[in-house]
Amino acid sequence: MNASLINRKWAELQADTAEQFEMEKPDIKIMLFLIGVQELGKGPMKFSKRQKEELMHIATCRLFSAMGFYELEGLDQDGWPHWRLIKPIPNYTLLEQEMLLKSLIIDYFEENR
């Protein structure tokens, strides 16, 4: 996807998500949190600040697994997924990182509707 298509689809996804959850337009961190909750599979619940950070990490690993950077190792005793880095992620510029994450998030939501 090119940058203009990514930005258009991102704006649509933000609007849809804001409407669905009755919230302001979510940023990348909120979208990562939502993906992390989905991947955890325990439904809505209260999370500590540390758990919220872990959920965003789970989401990032899940998204980058689509590009072959991570692989799911399994679940711990509490049912939280653990991922293993299988190849180093290239050093992207901040803009490249943002566009890549947006693209992966868009793909994730399109696949999991």
Side-chain angles (χ1 to χ4, degrees):
M1 277 190 275
N2 65 35
S4 63
L5 180 59
I6 290 170
N7 285 327
R8 183 178 57 77
K9 286 186 166 205
W10 178 253
E12 290 170 5
L13 179 59
Q14 284 181 301
D16 291 346
T17 304
E19 183 179 325
Q20 181 179 356
F21 290 97
E22 298 178 359
M23 62 191 289
E24 298 291 318
K25 285 203 310 192
D27 62 11
I28 287 177
K29 288 182 179 182
I30 300 288
M31 298 301 274
L32 290 173
F33 172 76
L34 293 173
I35 291 169
V37 170
Q38 177 70 26
E39 290 298 309
L40 181 60
K42 295 182 183 275
M45 52 191 281
K46 294 277 187 196
F47 295 104
S48 68
K49 182 179 179 183
R50 185 167 192 275
Q51 287 174 321
K52 289 176 184 176
E53 291 169 353
E54 290 173 7
L55 287 167
M56 290 190 291
H57 176 71
I58 288 167
T60 302
C61 292
R62 167 59 178 82
L63 294 173
F64 278 98
S65 73
M67 297 179 68
F69 292 111
Y70 283 92
E71 121 183 319
L72 182 62
E73 281 188 313
L75 305 177
D76 66 16
Q77 66 275 11
D78 296 322
W80 285 66
H82 289 270
W83 297 82
R84 180 172 62 94
L85 182 66
I86 54 177
K87 68 180 183 182
I89 299 172
N91 289 326
Y92 295 110
T93 66
L94 285 177
L95 181 59
E96 289 170 332
Q97 286 177 35
E98 180 180 329
M99 294 307 282
L100 180 58
L101 273 174
K102 284 180 179 179
S103 177
L104 291 169
I105 291 168
I106 291 163
D107 290 346
Y108 178 89
F109 280 97
E110 285 178 352
E111 291 167 11
N112 292 284
R113 283 197 175 152

